[in-house]
Amino acid sequence: MSEGAGLRADAGELPDDLTAAEAGMWQAFRNGSVYDLSSGDAAADDPHGGPPWGPERTVRARVVCWLLLDGPPALAGRVSSLKLVGVAVSGTVNLAGGTVAPYVELRNCRFEQEVLLPETRFTTVRLVDCAVPRLEAARLQTEGDLHLPRCRFANGVRLTDARIGTDLLLNQAVVYRDRGGRSLAADGLKVGQDFQAELLQSFGELRLRGAQVGVSLSLRGARLVNPCARFALNAPQLSVERTLYLTPAGISTGLLGGLTPAEGTRVQPFECQGGIRLDDGRFGDAVDFEQALFTLAEDQELTLRRVQTPELRFLGRGPALGRVVLSGARIGNLMDRAESWPGPGRLHMGGFCYESLVPRGPFPLARRLEWVAAATAEYRPEPYERLAAVLKAAGEDEDARKVLLAKQRRRRDSLPLAAKFLGYVQDWTVAYGYRPGRAAVWMGVLWAAGSLAFARIGRPPVRGGEHPAWDPALFALDLLLPVIDLGQVGAWQLGGGRQWLAVALILLGWILATTVAAGATRLLRRA
């Protein structure tokens, strides 16, 4: 292809060395019409498999780049655009650093080699159901959309620091890992409106570190597979103005399997085989894990450290292995199911702050206490205190007291032997002050027992000249009540068994009094 041919093309003439397929594409570009080279046979036209396409359906990448960067003028009354269907592109499409003004839409096309778009500027570009060895598009900029639905990328996609003016679509795309193990590398990506990757199949690490999405990010029905590495979705510092959806998607047509991406009439949940990292993320409305399936290895995590969002819908199936980490996260509404959480030692909630609980299905307080215990291999008061505060704010005062009582019992297990014994006494008597009515019951039992014992033993000897009338019940009460003096104990001379019985009643009275005082202090603090 000569420079002279390029000059003649500027005048609207066809270059001399174009093939028949390229000449048709050239004319369609000037006319702004669709250039369709498909055969009409679904199997033969499948861009992802089937027989090779011959020269009658093949255009050179150099001609495609020529049209997009420096193509001929449009025909009168027309707008030039590149719209191809069923076309094979040979060679490397290299538009690096260029500015592409025409509208670009390729459907059911095959690319022989990678597509290079780093630092390229587009208005809108759409590749739909195309076979692309690799898309290299770091720092790509579009005024409008970047659509890549149902495409298959054999060696990954790179959109690092790309700027998409409106929507980014990867629905039903199939993306395999590159040499670095990443399927989609999109650190620093900015999307003006929605980022939709519904029913995406990703085989490698989907990386979105520091990405920003102007509206919502949807991974409904996506399948992320990276079981041998640390993360299948690695998106720390992700910012989404509205909602992150990791939820089911409906598949509307009747085709399943084959060489093209899966389609069918069913509901497909979000599935992740590998870890998920959303640390330090900011989500304006919610993070939604409705019916999500997690398959984690022992050393993998679903981690939401320091995430901030008004609502977390933790409604997936609890992973059998791995860890769920919510340390430092700040949530408004926590919507969850009892079966969504992992077992003891695999849940970490240090510093996790939530304002209200919205359980889906049965989630009794006993299970909620197991949930807190699962997150604290060693005693830590914060999870219990947070749960109690949330229950009290919701008007569940009795449940809040039960949570605080469970906290004291958990703390007791970490204390030395003497303190542990005192803790058992406080628990048996007044339940650490959360059941103050028990103190009156125990006082009544001890008073009755002491009165009966002193009545059977009989009157002790008189200590002085004058003395009150002997009353076993009043004498026992004077022993039990610390500080208060009813004038009975000092008037009688105790010895032998009477002395030991009196000492026992005095000690038990002091224990009851201190326990009630501790409980009253807790009640005043909560008030």
Side-chain angles (χ1 to χ4, degrees):
M1 193 175 296
S2 66
E3 293 296 331
L7 292 173
R8 287 193 298 274
D10 290 340
E13 300 178 7
L14 283 172
D16 295 333
D17 60 347
L18 297 184
T19 65
E22 292 168 350
M25 178 179 66
W26 191 279
Q27 295 291 4
F29 176 83
R30 297 189 64 201
N31 195 42
S33 58
V34 176
Y35 188 53
D36 189 348
L37 293 181
S38 56
S39 66
D41 183 341
D45 289 336
D46 187 348
H48 311 290
W53 294 349
E56 71 281 0
R57 298 182 62 173
T58 302
V59 299
R60 289 170 290 176
R62 183 181 177 189
V63 179
V64 172
C65 295
W66 186 3
L67 287 173
L68 294 178
L69 295 175
D70 192 23
L75 298 177
R78 300 287 183 174
V79 177
S80 58
S81 59
L82 187 67
K83 302 176 184 177
L84 306 181
V85 178
V87 175
V89 181
S90 63
T92 300
V93 176
N94 188 348
L95 297 168
T99 298
V100 177
Y103 172 84
V104 180
E105 182 173 332
L106 282 71
R107 294 178 176 270
N108 302 97
C109 292
R110 287 180 181 175
F111 290 84
E112 181 182 87
Q113 298 181 25
E114 63 184 355
V115 177
L116 302 178
L117 306 177
E119 301 188 27
T120 308
R121 294 175 177 268
F122 284 92
T123 51
T124 291
V125 57
R126 292 187 171 97
L127 304 181
V128 181
D129 203 4
C130 294
V132 187
R134 175 172 173 79
L135 176 60
E136 178 66 50
R139 297 175 297 282
L140 169 75
Q141 295 187 39
T142 70
E143 295 180 15
D145 299 338
L146 173 61
H147 287 189
L148 304 169
R150 299 192 300 281
C151 288
R152 178 169 292 190
F153 302 94
N155 294 293
V157 174
R158 186 182 182 199
L159 289 170
T160 305
D161 296 318
R163 302 291 184 266
I164 310 303
T166 50
D167 296 335
L168 171 59
L169 266 61
L170 278 165
N171 294 343
Q172 295 180 280
V174 180
V175 189
Y176 294 93
R177 61 173 55 86
D178 60 15
R179 288 177 295 181
R182 299 185 181 96
S183 57
L184 173 62
D187 291 352
L189 170 70
K190 290 186 178 180
V191 180
Q193 296 184 17
D194 288 315
F195 180 179
Q196 296 186 14
E198 299 181 358
L199 299 170
L200 169 73
Q201 296 186 55
S202 166
F203 299 92
E205 181 184 298
L206 198 163
R207 190 178 177 97
L208 294 169
R209 180 189 293 270
Q212 299 178 28
V213 180
V215 184
S216 293
L217 170 52
S218 176
L219 286 163
R220 292 184 176 98
R223 183 168 178 258
L224 312 184
V225 180
N226 198 26
C228 298
R230 188 176 180 188
F231 297 111
L233 173 59
N234 189 4
Q237 301 174 344
L238 174 64
S239 175
V240 179
E241 288 297 317
R242 298 195 64 180
T243 301
L244 169 62
Y245 294 100
L246 305 175
T247 58
I251 307 177
S252 57
T253 61
L255 299 175
L256 277 172
L259 296 172
T260 55
E263 300 179 359
T265 308
R266 59 189 177 91
V267 173
Q268 180 169 307
F270 170 82
E271 179 182 358
C272 185
Q273 298 180 28
I276 294 181
R277 184 185 183 194
L278 298 172
D279 297 349
D280 300 294
R282 301 293 183 269
F283 306 92
D285 285 352
V287 177
D288 194 345
F289 289 100
E290 176 76 43
Q291 298 182 34
L293 303 178
F294 306 108
T295 304
L296 304 179
E298 190 65 42
D299 59 342
Q300 292 175 333
E301 296 179 339
L302 166 57
T303 168
L304 293 90
R305 293 180 178 89
R306 299 173 298 278
V307 160
Q308 295 186 24
T309 181
E311 184 165 280
L312 173 60
R313 302 166 191 160
F314 202 83
L315 301 167
R317 184 182 300 173
L321 297 174
R323 302 191 303 166
V324 174
V325 183
L326 290 163
S327 302
R330 301 183 66 84
I331 308 298
N333 297 328
L334 176 59
M335 187 179 297
D336 62 350
R337 294 190 179 96
E339 60 272 16
S340 297
W341 298 103
R346 296 189 295 105
L347 176 61
H348 300 266
M349 300 195 303
F352 177 41
C353 180
Y354 52 95
E355 297 176 4
S356 64
L357 291 170
V358 188
R360 287 271 195 94
F363 208 142
L365 182 62
R367 290 291 301 274
R368 187 66 76 180
L369 289 173
E370 292 175 3
W371 172 68
V372 174
T376 52
E378 298 180 354
Y379 168 71
R380 298 185 66 180
E382 297 93 342
Y384 291 94
E385 292 169 356
R386 169 53 51 183
L387 177 58
V390 169
L391 291 173
K392 184 176 181 181
E396 303 290 340
D397 291 349
E398 179 62 23
D399 285 348
R401 284 191 290 271
K402 290 179 180 178
V403 172
L404 294 173
L405 176 58
K407 181 191 79 167
Q408 292 297 332
R409 288 170 174 168
R410 183 75 182 278
R411 175 179 175 271
R412 181 180 65 207
D413 295 337
S414 64
L415 296 176
L417 185 60
K420 186 179 295 187
F421 173 76
L422 182 58
Y424 276 111
V425 172
Q426 289 183 313
D427 195 359
W428 293 334
T429 52
V430 291
Y432 288 96
Y434 298 108
R435 298 287 185 270
R438 289 187 185 178
V441 174
W442 279 105
M443 186 68 74
V445 170
L446 292 173
W447 186 18
S451 301
L452 181 61
F454 281 113
R456 296 176 72 90
I457 293 173
R459 191 184 78 173
V462 177
R463 175 171 292 179
E466 295 184 3
H467 60 85
W470 170 245
D471 188 333
L474 193 58
F475 185 80
L477 184 61
D478 198 6
L479 291 170
L480 280 171
L481 294 177
V483 181
I484 300 175
D485 185 5
L486 300 180
Q488 291 287 323
V489 175
W492 305 99
Q493 182 68 40
L494 301 178
R498 294 187 184 91
Q499 185 177 7
W500 288 110
L501 178 58
V503 169
L505 289 176
I506 291 171
L507 288 175
L508 291 173
W510 273 105
I511 290 173
L512 280 174
T514 55
T515 303
V516 170
T521 301
R522 293 191 187 100
L523 289 173
L524 289 173
R525 285 176 181 172
R526 292 198 303 272

